[in-house]
Amino acid sequence: MPVSFLTTEQRSRYGVFNAVPDIAQLGAFFHLDADDRRRAMAANGARNQLGWSVQLGTARFLNCFLDNPEDVPTAVVDYVAEQLGLQASDLKGYGQKEARWDHQEQIRTGYGFTAFAGEQWFALACWLYKRAWTTGERPIVLFDLATHRLVEAKILLPGVTTLERMIAALRERVAARQYALLAAAPSPNQAVVLENLVKVEQGRRVSRLDRLRKSPTDVSGTGLVKALDRHVELRDLGAAGWDLSAVPPGKIAALARFAHAARAQAVAELAGDRKLATLVAFAATMAPQSADDAVEVFDLAVGDLLRTSAFKANKERMRTLKDLDTAAIVLREVWLKIRSVAEIPDGDIRAALDEMDLAAIGAAADVIGDIAREPDEDFQEELLARYATIRRFLPKLLKHLDFNAGADQAPGQGVPHGHEVLAALDFLKAIERRRTDIDPSEVPADLLSSAWHRRVFPKRGELAGTFNRHAYTVAAVERLRESLRRHEVFVPGLRKWGDPTAGLLKGAEWDKARPRVCDELNLSPQPGTDVERWAGTLDFAYRQLAAGLSGEDDGRNDWVRLAKDEGGKDHLVLTGLDRLDEPASLTTLRADIDARMPIVDLPEALLEVHSWTGCLDHFTHVSGDAPSRKQGMITSIAAVLVSQAMNVGMRPMAAEGEPALALDRLYWVEQNYLRAATLTAANAALVEFHSGLELAQAWGGGELASADGLRFVVPVKTINAGPNTKYFGKEKGAKGVTYYNFTSDQFTSLHGIVIPGTPKDWYYILEGLLDQETSLKPTEITSDTAGASEIAFGIFRLLGWQFSPRLADVGSATLFRADAAAHYGSIDALVRSRVNIKLINDSWDDLLRVAGSLLTGAVKASELFRYFAGGGTPTPIGRALMELGKLDRSTYLASYYDDELLRRRVNTQLNRQESRHTLARKIFHGQKGELRQKYKEGQEDQLGALGFITNVCILWNTVYTARALEAIRAEGKKISATDIARLSPLGFEHFNMLGRYSFTLPELVRDGQLRPLRTPPPAE
């Protein structure tokens, strides 16, 4: 592990004045009170008096003394000298006098500073060791934390090399301990098996490590068998029997990430315990991951069977519809003749039947019997025909995965959710090799729908009274998939398909966390207090809405009115927002700015933004070591990011004779430097810099954010994609992903999540906001109607966020009341339904527990809410969240009706996000805009790079738009603040993205200057 991890620039900035202190800093650190002046004047002569005082201020400001006390800004000397009545020139020569050392000792003892000696060294080393052991922080982060801790304790900073070597040595000790503990976990035989993973097996082209770390891509019965075989192979490495509790999970994850990303040869070349420890971490993390992958393939494969069966059923239905109609007409005619005969008192029905073509009638009845289906049936018959496919994987699935379900329900509430599925699976395993007949009374039938019940236990024909094992198997598999998706059934220990409630705070842990959670969320631990407050807010919102409708106090609401529907019931009609007029001054300003924006190649824009923000420095090697010392690493990283974001591949970036742009170098950088953690850190640097710009603050304060999905077709075989004919096409096998993006009101992206297919948005809104790591902390979140569920409203209210979705068909939404006796004038009839306040209060502690668990990251929001929603049958906590959501949603709806500014703010933010999507589409132009990554990690990395580069373009545009505004003002033109607020940094015409990939910055940009603006054409 390298001892030196600081760059030359970082070392040069340590313990010195890097800028001239401003007036506030001069006052805070260099002001001399009466006691300071008395001590200073005790020194011998003006030079020593001024030098003593300058050293005192330096110690306060830098927490250290300078080797040469004269190396301070002139402003500091002037400020101190003026207080003493001395001349700044009196300091000259002080740095060569021995008295400066005595003065430093006087300041240390007189002002409570402590030298960095043995005791202080040991205390800091212990603290750093614990910190390095429990976290995965980089050396530079530990360095910054250490200096901050020393400053707080008034311990004078040691030399930069001393601190750097201490941190490097401690991290090396932490790593050695970590490697030793992990390497000791497997038995000798298991260790041999693990070390053989990196060897290429005889008859194969790749090592077992290469083979096992590749996620499955084949969504089929055969693909599921292969996924299960992979899981068994990983499980048999023995990780379940190892006790790794002594090693922090973050350390294990970091090693596993390296084993997953690095070449097998690189793992094989690791020295000492590190090699075996890395393989142990890989086995420990990949065993449950491979089970997750197998369940994912099961879900997708059965989903494909269901869709195919439904398609065939519909197709067959359409094909036989004419036959059904013909047969139905024949039987209708028969019935009409029989009815006419029956209406005659002496009519002879038998004679009437003899005159009919009974064979034709029988044939018609047979046709209807063959074609017509029971009302509760859809595609059971077609799905049953796929039994052979299901049989191919089911025995292995049941053998190698242990399914479980949640806790039992209260007495009298029937069979607990998911337990009927477990009973069916246990029964299938029990009869796997049974050859004797099965009595229907033995069969657990609670999971069967009526349509499946008729097939499993036929009542007519030759098989009447028997048990149809094939039908029961298919029905159980269908219900297993449904229950897995609802998380009623799960596989313990898995991340995605495991128990979503496993991480919820409980027992003593929750008792300890409750006060902190309530304090952080500003909620009372006592039920009723906050709900009563929110109910009061709802009451006020209704009264405001009613007053606006009636025109009280000259506050008439002209954009909403009461109307009657076809049934005579009242409903609200909301007038759509008028398009805001665009003044000529805004049109002219936009055109003027566009004409001045410099033309730039996208790679150059990235390198220029890096020169402002240092964003590319956050891309570190996957091993966690210090930044690479290879020349041109910033250029290599930039090339990889641009190639990923533009979706053009690596070859167009490569350049002969340029080591930084060599093709093999670019692939190596992609494999070792591009990942979620580095993208997140780099993006946070962009957002922080952008949020500090005056122009960005004119667009918003960062308190408002929106969430929306950007869809990508994925034309390759993968398990991390889903179908949707609207977005991904109707071709067979057409699938895609959604890049769910979170955008601030300053246009920058806070975070992004890759989601297979197009699932319900609201599952992921909260997850993205909790995971984002930028300096912006939005308090209001907006989305389209798809994200506006009642559970979403409920949890957002608990967490203190305002959920403000843009609602379609808002006039038909149900409004709920909290007070049964309240009267709301003209809208009273609209708010008849009541919120179940008692259910909220009875579940209050559980609701707080859910909110606290989400804040701590103990549970995954998307899976937890899918469980709470229960596929339409919410769990008890889900029902309480829905009731709370009804309360908050009704409050929001009342405000949405009444407040045009609210609707316009929401609409403006969502329009900004959609415009951002347009810019992202423009950047991601290669390969027809299709995402061609097979594995989830690759998809996340590439779309993360796209989000990052989109933010780069936004930041670059903001900086140069601000410069253009300065130039326009310098020409004497007036610009209104209103027009500035309506500008956008989402333009892309001045970015070259096709055919030119220059990674060389102009000389003036390398010198820290901005590019010259273009000269706009003369006004006509």
PDB file of all heavy atoms in Angstrom, residues 561-578:
ATOM      1  N   ARG A 561     -64.288  24.990 -10.601  1.00  0.00           N
ATOM      2  CA  ARG A 561     -65.725  25.183 -10.397  1.00  0.00           C
ATOM      3  C   ARG A 561     -66.381  23.846 -10.084  1.00  0.00           C
ATOM      4  O   ARG A 561     -65.836  22.777 -10.381  1.00  0.00           O
ATOM      5  CB  ARG A 561     -66.369  25.785 -11.647  1.00  0.00           C
ATOM      6  CG  ARG A 561     -66.207  24.945 -12.901  1.00  0.00           C
ATOM      7  CD  ARG A 561     -66.765  25.622 -14.129  1.00  0.00           C
ATOM      8  NE  ARG A 561     -66.454  24.869 -15.335  1.00  0.00           N
ATOM      9  CZ  ARG A 561     -67.159  23.822 -15.769  1.00  0.00           C
ATOM     10  NH1 ARG A 561     -68.222  23.418 -15.078  1.00  0.00           N
ATOM     11  NH2 ARG A 561     -66.810  23.184 -16.886  1.00  0.00           N
ATOM     12  N   LEU A 562     -67.554  23.930  -9.478  1.00  0.00           N
ATOM     13  CA  LEU A 562     -68.350  22.743  -9.186  1.00  0.00           C
ATOM     14  C   LEU A 562     -69.246  22.417 -10.366  1.00  0.00           C
ATOM     15  O   LEU A 562     -69.795  23.312 -11.013  1.00  0.00           O
ATOM     16  CB  LEU A 562     -69.213  22.981  -7.942  1.00  0.00           C
ATOM     17  CG  LEU A 562     -68.540  22.767  -6.586  1.00  0.00           C
ATOM     18  CD1 LEU A 562     -69.441  23.293  -5.477  1.00  0.00           C
ATOM     19  CD2 LEU A 562     -68.239  21.291  -6.361  1.00  0.00           C
ATOM     20  N   ALA A 563     -69.362  21.109 -10.659  1.00  0.00           N
ATOM     21  CA  ALA A 563     -70.244  20.673 -11.742  1.00  0.00           C
ATOM     22  C   ALA A 563     -70.873  19.352 -11.342  1.00  0.00           C
ATOM     23  O   ALA A 563     -70.486  18.728 -10.349  1.00  0.00           O
ATOM     24  CB  ALA A 563     -69.460  20.540 -13.047  1.00  0.00           C
ATOM     25  N   LYS A 564     -71.904  18.943 -12.099  1.00  0.00           N
ATOM     26  CA  LYS A 564     -72.579  17.681 -11.861  1.00  0.00           C
ATOM     27  C   LYS A 564     -72.122  16.659 -12.898  1.00  0.00           C
ATOM     28  O   LYS A 564     -71.990  16.969 -14.082  1.00  0.00           O
ATOM     29  CB  LYS A 564     -74.103  17.857 -11.982  1.00  0.00           C
ATOM     30  CG  LYS A 564     -74.712  18.861 -11.010  1.00  0.00           C
ATOM     31  CD  LYS A 564     -74.800  18.296  -9.610  1.00  0.00           C
ATOM     32  CE  LYS A 564     -75.574  19.254  -8.695  1.00  0.00           C
ATOM     33  NZ  LYS A 564     -75.617  18.754  -7.298  1.00  0.00           N
ATOM     34  N   ASP A 565     -71.884  15.415 -12.435  1.00  0.00           N
ATOM     35  CA  ASP A 565     -71.563  14.367 -13.386  1.00  0.00           C
ATOM     36  C   ASP A 565     -72.850  13.745 -13.902  1.00  0.00           C
ATOM     37  O   ASP A 565     -73.960  14.210 -13.587  1.00  0.00           O
ATOM     38  CB  ASP A 565     -70.649  13.316 -12.755  1.00  0.00           C
ATOM     39  CG  ASP A 565     -71.288  12.634 -11.546  1.00  0.00           C
ATOM     40  OD1 ASP A 565     -72.523  12.706 -11.406  1.00  0.00           O
ATOM     41  OD2 ASP A 565     -70.549  12.027 -10.758  1.00  0.00           O
ATOM     42  N   GLU A 566     -72.738  12.677 -14.721  1.00  0.00           N
ATOM     43  CA  GLU A 566     -73.922  12.068 -15.313  1.00  0.00           C
ATOM     44  C   GLU A 566     -74.862  11.504 -14.269  1.00  0.00           C
ATOM     45  O   GLU A 566     -76.077  11.414 -14.483  1.00  0.00           O
ATOM     46  CB  GLU A 566     -73.490  10.958 -16.287  1.00  0.00           C
ATOM     47  CG  GLU A 566     -72.731  11.483 -17.495  1.00  0.00           C
ATOM     48  CD  GLU A 566     -72.312  10.351 -18.428  1.00  0.00           C
ATOM     49  OE1 GLU A 566     -72.572   9.175 -18.080  1.00  0.00           O
ATOM     50  OE2 GLU A 566     -71.730  10.649 -19.485  1.00  0.00           O
ATOM     51  N   GLY A 567     -74.358  11.139 -13.120  1.00  0.00           N
ATOM     52  CA  GLY A 567     -75.199  10.607 -12.055  1.00  0.00           C
ATOM     53  C   GLY A 567     -75.760  11.678 -11.142  1.00  0.00           C
ATOM     54  O   GLY A 567     -76.406  11.360 -10.146  1.00  0.00           O
ATOM     55  N   GLY A 568     -75.482  12.945 -11.451  1.00  0.00           N
ATOM     56  CA  GLY A 568     -75.998  14.033 -10.643  1.00  0.00           C
ATOM     57  C   GLY A 568     -75.155  14.363  -9.428  1.00  0.00           C
ATOM     58  O   GLY A 568     -75.559  15.180  -8.597  1.00  0.00           O
ATOM     59  N   LYS A 569     -73.976  13.756  -9.300  1.00  0.00           N
ATOM     60  CA  LYS A 569     -73.122  14.023  -8.157  1.00  0.00           C
ATOM     61  C   LYS A 569     -72.178  15.182  -8.461  1.00  0.00           C
ATOM     62  O   LYS A 569     -71.744  15.377  -9.589  1.00  0.00           O
ATOM     63  CB  LYS A 569     -72.310  12.777  -7.788  1.00  0.00           C
ATOM     64  CG  LYS A 569     -73.159  11.628  -7.266  1.00  0.00           C
ATOM     65  CD  LYS A 569     -72.278  10.451  -6.869  1.00  0.00           C
ATOM     66  CE  LYS A 569     -73.109   9.307  -6.309  1.00  0.00           C
ATOM     67  NZ  LYS A 569     -72.270   8.144  -5.917  1.00  0.00           N
ATOM     68  N   ASP A 570     -71.859  15.938  -7.400  1.00  0.00           N
ATOM     69  CA  ASP A 570     -70.940  17.057  -7.556  1.00  0.00           C
ATOM     70  C   ASP A 570     -69.522  16.560  -7.806  1.00  0.00           C
ATOM     71  O   ASP A 570     -69.088  15.555  -7.242  1.00  0.00           O
ATOM     72  CB  ASP A 570     -70.937  17.925  -6.291  1.00  0.00           C
ATOM     73  CG  ASP A 570     -72.210  18.739  -6.147  1.00  0.00           C
ATOM     74  OD1 ASP A 570     -72.918  18.895  -7.156  1.00  0.00           O
ATOM     75  OD2 ASP A 570     -72.495  19.201  -5.027  1.00  0.00           O
ATOM     76  N   HIS A 571     -68.806  17.279  -8.648  1.00  0.00           N
ATOM     77  CA  HIS A 571     -67.379  17.058  -8.785  1.00  0.00           C
ATOM     78  C   HIS A 571     -66.732  18.372  -9.203  1.00  0.00           C
ATOM     79  O   HIS A 571     -67.412  19.295  -9.668  1.00  0.00           O
ATOM     80  CB  HIS A 571     -67.064  15.953  -9.799  1.00  0.00           C
ATOM     81  CG  HIS A 571     -67.352  16.330 -11.227  1.00  0.00           C
ATOM     82  ND1 HIS A 571     -68.619  16.355 -11.752  1.00  0.00           N
ATOM     83  CD2 HIS A 571     -66.516  16.706 -12.235  1.00  0.00           C
ATOM     84  CE1 HIS A 571     -68.575  16.717 -13.020  1.00  0.00           C
ATOM     85  NE2 HIS A 571     -67.305  16.935 -13.337  1.00  0.00           N
ATOM     86  N   LEU A 572     -65.429  18.469  -9.002  1.00  0.00           N
ATOM     87  CA  LEU A 572     -64.707  19.695  -9.311  1.00  0.00           C
ATOM     88  C   LEU A 572     -64.135  19.628 -10.717  1.00  0.00           C
ATOM     89  O   LEU A 572     -63.640  18.584 -11.159  1.00  0.00           O
ATOM     90  CB  LEU A 572     -63.571  19.907  -8.305  1.00  0.00           C
ATOM     91  CG  LEU A 572     -64.009  20.260  -6.881  1.00  0.00           C
ATOM     92  CD1 LEU A 572     -62.817  20.221  -5.942  1.00  0.00           C
ATOM     93  CD2 LEU A 572     -64.668  21.626  -6.833  1.00  0.00           C
ATOM     94  N   VAL A 573     -64.196  20.737 -11.416  1.00  0.00           N
ATOM     95  CA  VAL A 573     -63.628  20.854 -12.755  1.00  0.00           C
ATOM     96  C   VAL A 573     -62.507  21.884 -12.680  1.00  0.00           C
ATOM     97  O   VAL A 573     -62.754  23.046 -12.319  1.00  0.00           O
ATOM     98  CB  VAL A 573     -64.689  21.286 -13.790  1.00  0.00           C
ATOM     99  CG1 VAL A 573     -64.035  21.457 -15.159  1.00  0.00           C
ATOM    100  CG2 VAL A 573     -65.815  20.265 -13.852  1.00  0.00           C
ATOM    101  N   LEU A 574     -61.289  21.452 -12.987  1.00  0.00           N
ATOM    102  CA  LEU A 574     -60.116  22.316 -12.875  1.00  0.00           C
ATOM    103  C   LEU A 574     -59.690  22.758 -14.270  1.00  0.00           C
ATOM    104  O   LEU A 574     -59.446  21.932 -15.152  1.00  0.00           O
ATOM    105  CB  LEU A 574     -58.974  21.581 -12.182  1.00  0.00           C
ATOM    106  CG  LEU A 574     -57.700  22.381 -11.888  1.00  0.00           C
ATOM    107  CD1 LEU A 574     -57.994  23.512 -10.913  1.00  0.00           C
ATOM    108  CD2 LEU A 574     -56.622  21.466 -11.327  1.00  0.00           C
ATOM    109  N   THR A 575     -59.612  24.043 -14.474  1.00  0.00           N
ATOM    110  CA  THR A 575     -59.175  24.587 -15.765  1.00  0.00           C
ATOM    111  C   THR A 575     -57.672  24.411 -15.910  1.00  0.00           C
ATOM    112  O   THR A 575     -56.917  24.653 -14.965  1.00  0.00           O
ATOM    113  CB  THR A 575     -59.525  26.085 -15.859  1.00  0.00           C
ATOM    114  OG1 THR A 575     -60.926  26.241 -15.648  1.00  0.00           O
ATOM    115  CG2 THR A 575     -59.144  26.645 -17.223  1.00  0.00           C
ATOM    116  N   GLY A 576     -57.236  23.990 -17.078  1.00  0.00           N
ATOM    117  CA  GLY A 576     -55.803  23.802 -17.312  1.00  0.00           C
ATOM    118  C   GLY A 576     -55.039  25.109 -17.254  1.00  0.00           C
ATOM    119  O   GLY A 576     -55.593  26.205 -17.442  1.00  0.00           O
ATOM    120  N   LEU A 577     -53.757  25.007 -16.984  1.00  0.00           N
ATOM    121  CA  LEU A 577     -52.916  26.198 -16.894  1.00  0.00           C
ATOM    122  C   LEU A 577     -52.721  26.824 -18.262  1.00  0.00           C
ATOM    123  O   LEU A 577     -52.464  26.130 -19.253  1.00  0.00           O
ATOM    124  CB  LEU A 577     -51.548  25.833 -16.314  1.00  0.00           C
ATOM    125  CG  LEU A 577     -51.512  25.404 -14.845  1.00  0.00           C
ATOM    126  CD1 LEU A 577     -50.137  24.841 -14.511  1.00  0.00           C
ATOM    127  CD2 LEU A 577     -51.851  26.579 -13.935  1.00  0.00           C
ATOM    128  N   ASP A 578     -52.859  28.145 -18.333  1.00  0.00           N
ATOM    129  CA  ASP A 578     -52.561  28.857 -19.562  1.00  0.00           C
ATOM    130  C   ASP A 578     -51.052  28.891 -19.774  1.00  0.00           C
ATOM    131  O   ASP A 578     -50.280  28.966 -18.807  1.00  0.00           O
ATOM    132  CB  ASP A 578     -53.102  30.288 -19.509  1.00  0.00           C
ATOM    133  CG  ASP A 578     -54.624  30.327 -19.445  1.00  0.00           C
ATOM    134  OD1 ASP A 578     -55.248  29.393 -20.003  1.00  0.00           O
ATOM    135  OD2 ASP A 578     -55.177  31.275 -18.845  1.00  0.00           O
TER     136      ASP A 578
END
